[in-house]
Amino acid sequence: RIKEVSRVLLALRAKDPATFHEARTLCGMVGEGFEGVRSNPDSLRKAVRRALDALIGAGKAETDSSGGYRAAHSAGPQPEPEDKTLH
């Protein structure tokens, strides 16, 4: 489940690195690993929050003051810097 939430956060970061996302939004985006709790919204929310807490503890996610989440800059692959060398 942690890997799945990390995958979702990294995909969201790729689209908009500065935006924090509500746990409710993340619940709607997770897939594999959450099938057993998907039918119960409260259980799904708790499972996603546990995965988010683990990612925050590992330094792979960060939260803002309003409770939003995003992948930490140190999490996952970073885009390669563009080579601006003049030839």
Side-chain angles (χ1 to χ4, degrees):
R1 290 182 176 174
I2 293 169
K3 286 182 181 182
E4 175 62 9
V5 173
S6 179
R7 181 195 65 80
V8 169
L9 289 174
L10 289 169
L12 290 169
R13 185 182 74 185
K15 292 180 183 178
D16 188 359
T19 301
F20 286 86
H21 305 277
E22 292 183 2
R24 184 178 328 139
T25 302
L26 301 173
C27 287
M29 299 179 76
V30 294
E32 187 177 334
F34 290 89
E35 296 88 1
V37 294
R38 186 166 300 285
S39 62
N40 184 329
D42 190 46
S43 295
L44 177 61
R45 181 181 49 79
K46 288 177 183 177
V48 169
R49 286 198 188 266
R50 281 192 302 269
L52 287 166
D53 288 344
L55 289 168
I56 289 168
K60 295 185 177 191
E62 52 193 25
T63 187
D64 65 0
S65 60
S66 63
Y69 299 90
R70 70 179 179 191
H73 293 291
S74 61
Q78 297 289 320
E80 291 296 319
E82 188 176 323
D83 184 10
K84 296 185 179 190
T85 306
L86 295 176
H87 296 281

